[in-house]
Amino acid sequence: MADPVPAPDELDLGLLLFIPYRAMENRVFAALAQAGFDDFSPAQARVLQRIGPDGTRLTELAESAQVTKQTASHLVDQLERTGYVRRTPDPTDARARLVRIAERGAAAQPVAAAVVAEVEAEWRAHLGERRWGQLRAALAELREITDPYR
Amino acid sequence: MADPVPAPDELDLGLLLFIPYRAMENRVFAALAQAGFDDFSPAQARVLQRIGPDGTRLTELAESAQVTKQTASHLVDQLERTGYVRRTPDPTDARARLVRIAERGAAAQPVAAAVVAEVEAEWRAHLGERRWGQLRAALAELREITDPYR
DNA sequence: GACGATGGTCAGCAGATCGAACTAATCTCG
DNA sequence: CGAGATTAGTTCGATCTGCTGACCATCGTC
């Protein structure tokens, strides 16, 4: 979303951010599919990605992925059916349930991590060490004022 | 998509890009809604945003928005029904039709542009002139190897 | 002028996402 | 303690997104 009439060589920052994001997503997705993890959707992956090592509550997942609880619940349903995650009771709150990575999910993680590392290495090589560092630093700083979750 | 178990303070670049992108999108979307342009969806906006000043072919829109021609066609249908765009024949090719911004679309543009400028100004202030310039430069450079379209 | 390539549409389906309404457990405070 | 407000999560129903496949018209080329 952004300026509908961008100057030709001066795209607004929204698009500028979106383009590489999309590229990363596509790469990871393709690699996972090739490794046999082809039974989940991008939307499911966006949820999966946000599950912490000790499990994460559904509401938290929903917030951090910026979707409604209903949507998150639905996506977790599917991920559960295909064996990527498991719902376990939250010992500290009987209303809540922790979504945890299950076997299949754990198997997919290293594959995803490897591709991310690979793509980052490519980008780093293209930008050069200095620009790469600047990019990471600027984005981290930007996150302080744009991350609604945490 | 990315590393499902990111180190706490070292998010992978995919997410790092996504967070501010999403923030920008939300801001622009909210401002447009408040200005009375609340009858279109994010997906429609992503197409709308890519229409050039002299009109753009459907196929081009589809490529640049990374959706199929059918999806783009459908979104343009809706945008046409609500008065944001118009389909006109392409004088250079009788098969093709140019999608052009219509009255309502033209009215929305300045609003969108203003918010983008506003958000960019905020970010710029937060980052400082130098980091801001570095961010733009790095993203533009990254685009060279991540933009599948052009 | 026939044939493959290109621009676009139509039809139909799976998935994503939302709002509303609801249940169950927890918290707050008089 | 117990009533009411809050929070976690689910179910239902509707809409929107986006895909595949099939198809038509035009263009460009040999």
Side-chain angles (χ1 to χ4, degrees):
Chain A
M1 202 94 5
D3 184 352
V5 187
D9 58 330
E10 177 101 353
L11 281 191
D12 79 83
L13 204 62
L15 262 190
L16 236 32
L17 291 162
F18 183 69
I19 291 168
Y21 163 71
R22 191 69 185 255
M24 171 74 85
E25 189 173 71
N26 287 343
R27 286 284 293 274
V28 175
F29 209 70
L32 282 170
Q34 194 162 21
F37 301 104
D38 57 353
D39 54 348
F40 65 89
S41 65
Q44 290 171 37
R46 281 192 273 265
V47 166
L48 193 56
Q49 178 187 6
R50 286 170 167 87
I51 300 175
D54 302 323
T56 303
R57 290 198 187 170
L58 185 75
T59 303
E60 250 177 296
L61 285 180
E63 276 174 17
S64 116
Q66 299 193 52
V67 298
T68 57
K69 287 188 296 177
Q70 298 92 305
T71 299
S73 181
H74 180 58
L75 294 172
V76 168
D77 281 349
Q78 302 172 251
L79 286 169
E80 198 170 27
R81 241 181 289 117
T82 44
Y84 286 98
V85 306
R86 218 174 29 234
R87 273 185 246 239
T88 61
D90 183 334
T92 74
D93 189 334
R95 292 170 301 180
R97 306 168 71 179
L98 290 176
V99 181
R100 314 183 84 100
I101 301 287
E103 301 67 39
R104 197 159 164 67
Q109 281 184 351
V111 179
V115 189
V116 169
E118 183 187 313
V119 173
E120 289 193 354
E122 281 174 29
W123 291 0
R124 191 176 195 143
H126 180 72
L127 290 181
E129 206 59 47
R130 233 190 62 187
R131 276 211 181 293
W132 172 257
Q134 293 173 347
L135 177 62
R136 282 203 71 94
L139 286 175
E141 214 173 322
L142 206 46
R143 184 179 170 216
E144 293 167 13
I145 56 168
T146 53
D147 193 344
Y149 179 74
R150 170 242 120 66
Chain B
M1 207 93 10
D3 186 353
V5 185
D9 59 330
E10 177 101 354
L11 281 192
D12 80 84
L13 205 62
L15 262 190
L16 236 31
L17 291 163
F18 182 69
I19 291 168
Y21 163 71
R22 191 67 187 255
M24 172 73 87
E25 188 172 73
N26 287 342
R27 286 283 294 273
V28 175
F29 211 70
L32 283 170
Q34 194 163 20
F37 302 105
D38 57 354
D39 54 348
F40 65 87
S41 66
Q44 289 171 38
R46 283 192 271 265
V47 166
L48 192 56
Q49 179 187 4
R50 286 171 167 87
I51 300 175
D54 302 322
T56 303
R57 291 199 186 169
L58 185 75
T59 303
E60 250 176 295
L61 286 179
E63 275 174 16
S64 116
Q66 299 194 54
V67 296
T68 57
K69 288 188 296 177
Q70 295 91 317
T71 298
S73 181
H74 182 56
L75 294 172
V76 168
D77 282 349
Q78 302 171 254
L79 287 169
E80 197 168 26
R81 242 181 290 116
T82 45
Y84 286 97
V85 307
R86 219 176 26 236
R87 273 184 246 239
T88 60
D90 183 335
T92 74
D93 189 335
R95 291 169 303 179
R97 307 168 71 179
L98 290 176
V99 180
R100 315 183 84 100
I101 301 287
E103 302 67 38
R104 197 160 164 65
Q109 281 185 350
V111 179
V115 189
V116 169
E118 184 187 314
V119 173
E120 289 194 352
E122 281 175 28
W123 291 1
R124 189 177 195 142
H126 180 72
L127 290 181
E129 206 59 46
R130 232 191 63 187
R131 276 211 181 295
W132 172 257
Q134 293 172 348
L135 177 61
R136 282 204 70 94
L139 286 175
E141 214 172 323
L142 206 46
R143 186 179 169 215
E144 292 167 14
I145 56 168
T146 54
D147 193 344
Y149 178 74
R150 171 255 102 71

